Amino acid sequence: MPVALRGLGLAGAATLLAAVVTAVVLAGFSLVSFPAYGNSNVLRALTVVGQAAAVALVVLGILSARAGERPGGRAALVRLGKLAAPTGSALLVAATLGIPLAASRLYLHGVSVDQEFRTQFLGRSATSLGLPDMAYADLPSFYPSGWFWLGGRFANLAGLEGWAAFKPWSILSLAVAAALVTVLWTRLLRTDLGAAVGLASTSIVLAYGSPEPYGAIVALFIPPVLILAWHAVNPTARHAGRGAALATTLFLGASASTYTLYTGLAAGTVVLMALVATVAASVARRSAGGPHPTRGSFPLWLPAVRLAAIGFGSIAIALMVWAPYLLAALRGTPADSGTAMHYLPDAGARLPLPMTAGGLTGWVCLAGLVWIVVRAWTSRRAQALGLGVVAVYLWCLASMAITVLGTTMLGFRLEPVLIGLLVVAGVFAIADVAGLAVRAAGRQNGADRPAAEAADRRRRATAVVGVVASLAALAHAQGIPDHLHEEIRLAYTDTDGHGERADRYPPGPESHYAEVDETIREAFPDRRRTDLVVVSTADAFLAYHPYLAFQAVTSHYANPLGRYADRNDAMVRWQDATSGDELRAMMDETPWRGPDAIVARPSGDGYTLRLAEDTYPNDPNVRRFGVTIPAEAVEGPHFEVHDVGPFAVIVVR
């Protein structure tokens, strides 16, 4: 069977096993009523058991593959190892995220802050086979839809509402990605080293990127893809690296459909690689004293041609998601400039230096940095990872410098990628040192020991290295829930779409959302929720119920074609209305579909909405303010007011 087909078959089998493992963990733990994670150590203990099983499965895969790859070894053992390792990585995801969240219907961070718009987007995606905007009516999506569209299909297949599908889809997609990236590493490296790198990179992404699951998936693949990209634009021969170029193209196209920031970093790194490869080839040619390629080299134009092919190919793939928005923008649809890049927290005003942080992760990052520098002249892997690290720091510096123009490049969000690159390099460093130690165990006073004694001592040294590495992996894994303590806490304290808190404390006002939803639907019995525009500044109402939104959660994730600031201005003017006729006229004058219902808070002299505006360069970068619609402005035949708990539902006729 061709190598490529064997790889695809292995990836397919790993995907299936990852899905099965995740389903078993999520479904199995849902059958038992557990106490909240923060109120008891039961789930913590079970999480460690699951993580230990995951590490053991990867170790089993390594031992099986090593046994099968020895002279005379059985091919079945190699196949077992190549499947056990990715399954172990998937189990690590399922155990580390699924078990701590077993007693909650919500994912990390609940529906607070950014998780609100993500949950809303998945809910909207579950209602349409197209690419709808997460909030506004009649607009194509601006935020990349790839992960959310697939999540919508998962929700449909599972028979879940969008908000209820967010947790299982996040964990499932991350588990499958962990399995696939482990398969990729085992194809790029020896099976044992690839399995170790896959497990380590999965553990790091869980700790630093899992609250944003689709971004974490892209971050997982960046290190191996950069190694492939370096082979593509800096091949060992003219016709080498074509498969690597294709893989890079597919990754950049898929990632551009999923998470643009990491895609921008990866694409920028590939451009940097092509530039470095061209300069290095030119210098090597001059040193050789001739204008023509030497044996084993390539023409100077090849990196640029490969780069162009990767660029055009990935853009063509990304257009499957981006074309509707770009066509709408090119047609001249009015838009604002957007504020997605208007955020500069304290972390964004300094360079990330994880190698100085101490602890297990910090020391491994430091080892990775040293390895990159030491091996930069001899290892293509070190060169690729090193260029990735350089690209991260260049991006961060550019992000800080561009603040003089009134924006940023969100450099602080690249820290998970930086840590992932350095940890992968750190694993390579540890593998090199371990290899030296094992070889040294077979020697004495500079001379080889007798063959039998040398083999025995090397086996013992290898066992010591394996045990220490496994314990280090488990030590990091069992600390991940502590690192995600706040994110897990919010999953239990936020009120879910059923009006319940997973920690069993009394729910917030969100417990009335079902009644609010019922009131709106009774007012429009012949229309679906996906055809009704609702003004709601009640936290997470639109995340749980897939109505169209008159206004997005914040400007930073709003579609520029939706004109967030203009909508805010229109809503501010509503408080000047003195009659129902005047307010209805104001709503009809806007260029957008007017609201069919308004969910507000009754106040002494009217009904209050809470709006948000961008305040960059301040930190925090969002200011909340209230707009009160006078009570007399919702009187008359155009409006019906229904009191629902602490809310007022104003139906617009």
Side-chain angles (χ1 to χ4, degrees):
M1 181 184 294
V3 174
L5 291 181
R6 287 202 302 270
L8 290 175
L10 182 60
T15 298
L16 179 61
L17 287 171
V20 170
V21 164
T22 305
V24 168
V25 171
L26 294 181
F29 279 84
S30 69
L31 299 176
V32 181
S33 179
F34 289 103
Y37 184 83
N39 298 341
S40 168
N41 288 321
V42 171
L43 287 176
R44 177 186 292 271
L46 293 172
T47 299
V48 174
V49 172
Q51 292 170 331
V55 173
L57 197 54
V58 174
V59 171
L60 172 64
I62 291 173
L63 295 176
S64 297
R66 287 174 66 92
E69 289 169 350
R70 291 195 187 103
R74 299 176 62 180
L77 288 175
V78 178
R79 289 194 291 270
L80 174 63
K82 287 181 178 292
L83 287 176
T87 305
S89 295
L91 179 57
L92 181 65
V93 174
T96 304
L97 298 180
I99 298 177
L101 297 174
S104 174
R105 298 185 184 98
L106 301 178
Y107 186 61
L108 296 173
H109 228 287
V111 288
S112 297
V113 197
D114 290 355
Q115 218 68 310
E116 179 181 352
F117 92 81
R118 295 178 189 130
T119 306
Q120 179 182 351
F121 196 4
L122 186 56
R124 291 279 295 123
S125 298
T127 65
S128 172
L129 292 176
L131 302 173
D133 185 71
M134 70 177 75
Y136 300 131
D138 308 319
L139 286 180
S141 178
F142 169 69
Y143 204 80
S145 299
W147 183 85
F148 294 93
W149 189 89
L150 292 173
R153 308 293 68 77
F154 168 80
N156 298 153
L157 288 172
L160 297 171
E161 295 180 271
W163 72 268
F166 193 91
K167 185 187 87 169
W169 172 240
S170 297
I171 297 172
L172 173 62
S173 58
L174 258 174
V176 170
L180 290 177
V181 83
T182 304
V183 169
L184 179 57
W185 278 119
T186 59
R187 303 291 292 178
L188 294 176
L189 311 168
R190 340 183 283 267
T191 303
D192 55 352
L193 182 57
V197 173
L199 181 68
S201 58
T202 298
S203 187
I204 288 298
V205 166
L206 285 173
Y208 296 96
S210 54
E212 196 172 33
Y214 49 96
I217 290 170
V218 176
L220 259 178
F221 282 91
I222 286 180
V225 168
L226 290 186
I227 293 174
L228 288 168
W230 184 233
H231 282 284
V233 300
N234 184 39
T236 54
R238 177 170 179 172
H239 298 293
R242 291 176 176 175
L246 176 61
T248 305
T249 301
L250 294 174
F251 168 78
L252 290 177
S255 65
S257 305
T258 305
Y259 198 78
T260 50
L261 179 64
Y262 290 172
T263 302
L265 172 69
T269 306
V270 177
V271 172
L272 177 63
M273 287 176 167
L275 178 62
V276 170
T278 302
V279 171
S282 177
V283 170
R285 187 165 303 176
R286 290 177 182 175
S287 300
H292 301 291
T294 58
R295 182 180 296 274
S297 65
F298 52 82
L300 290 180
W301 49 262
L302 186 60
V305 170
R306 291 273 177 88
L307 177 65
I310 291 170
F312 285 117
S314 58
I315 289 172
I317 295 171
L319 283 176
M320 291 190 292
V321 167
W322 280 98
Y325 175 82
L326 294 175
L327 289 174
L330 291 173
R331 284 196 294 265
T333 302
D336 55 34
S337 59
T339 60
M341 309 297 256
H342 286 190
Y343 189 32
L344 186 67
D346 178 69
R350 63 187 69 194
L351 289 174
L353 298 169
M355 69 291 292
T356 65
L360 180 60
T361 301
W363 286 112
V364 175
C365 285
L366 181 60
L369 179 64
V370 172
W371 181 83
I372 287 172
V373 174
V374 171
R375 297 292 305 275
W377 285 266
T378 58
S379 169
R380 293 174 67 84
R381 280 182 277 152
Q383 293 162 1
L385 296 175
L387 287 170
V389 170
V390 169
V392 170
Y393 280 115
L394 289 176
W395 190 290
C396 290
L397 289 170
S399 179
M400 289 186 274
I402 205 173
T403 55
V404 299
L405 301 179
T407 188
T408 76
M409 294 169 61
L410 302 178
F412 70 96
R413 293 195 183 276
L414 300 181
E415 188 167 9
V417 177
L418 175 64
I419 296 174
L421 291 168
L422 289 174
V423 165
V424 167
V427 175
F428 292 147
I430 293 168
D432 283 357
V433 173
L436 291 174
V438 169
R439 287 191 291 273
R443 299 175 63 84
Q444 185 178 28
N445 299 325
D448 289 336
R449 296 177 183 271
E453 181 184 356
D456 179 64
R457 287 180 174 269
R458 286 173 183 146
R459 280 195 297 270
R460 295 183 184 185
T462 301
V464 170
V465 170
V467 169
V468 172
S470 299
L471 292 177
L474 185 56
H476 182 271
Q478 69 178 6
I480 294 173
D482 293 330
H483 188 81
L484 298 174
H485 171 77
E486 181 63 13
E487 288 82 356
I488 295 173
R489 183 188 69 81
L490 287 170
Y492 282 90
T493 58
D494 282 359
T495 303
D496 64 29
H498 291 164
E500 300 173 349
R501 279 177 50 157
D503 61 3
R504 303 178 187 177
Y505 280 85
E510 296 89 348
S511 62
H512 296 277
Y513 284 174
E515 191 177 351
V516 170
D517 174 52
E518 184 180 356
T519 301
I520 297 173
R521 297 176 72 177
E522 287 179 352
F524 301 95
D526 298 326
R527 296 173 65 182
R528 295 180 299 173
R529 287 187 289 187
T530 52
D531 187 43
L532 295 171
V533 177
V534 174
V535 175
S536 173
T537 54
D539 292 339
F541 176 73
L542 295 176
Y544 292 137
H545 303 283
Y547 293 100
L548 300 169
F550 185 80
Q551 183 59 300
V553 176
T554 71
S555 64
H556 302 92
Y557 296 106
N559 193 323
L561 301 179
R563 297 162 61 186
Y564 184 95
D566 291 342
R567 289 177 186 255
N568 259 10
D569 291 342
M571 295 169 73
V572 169
R573 288 194 293 271
W574 292 352
Q575 63 188 349
D576 298 328
T578 58
S579 67
D581 289 339
E582 185 178 358
L583 179 58
R584 182 56 194 264
M586 288 180 176
M587 293 178 175
D588 291 341
E589 288 170 359
T590 64
W592 323 286
R593 283 178 58 178
D596 297 296
I598 301 171
V599 181
R601 292 269 192 158
S603 57
D605 53 355
Y607 302 95
T608 300
L609 298 169
R610 189 178 63 161
L611 306 184
E613 65 178 354
D614 175 49
T615 60
Y616 177 84
N618 294 333
D619 181 29
N621 61 334
V622 175
R623 182 180 77 88
R624 302 283 182 179
F625 64 98
V627 169
T628 300
I629 303 173
E632 61 269 20
V634 293
E635 295 177 351
H638 299 302
F639 302 96
E640 299 172 5
V641 180
H642 304 267
D643 293 323
V644 180
F647 303 104
V649 179
I650 305 170
V651 176
V652 183
R653 296 299 186 184

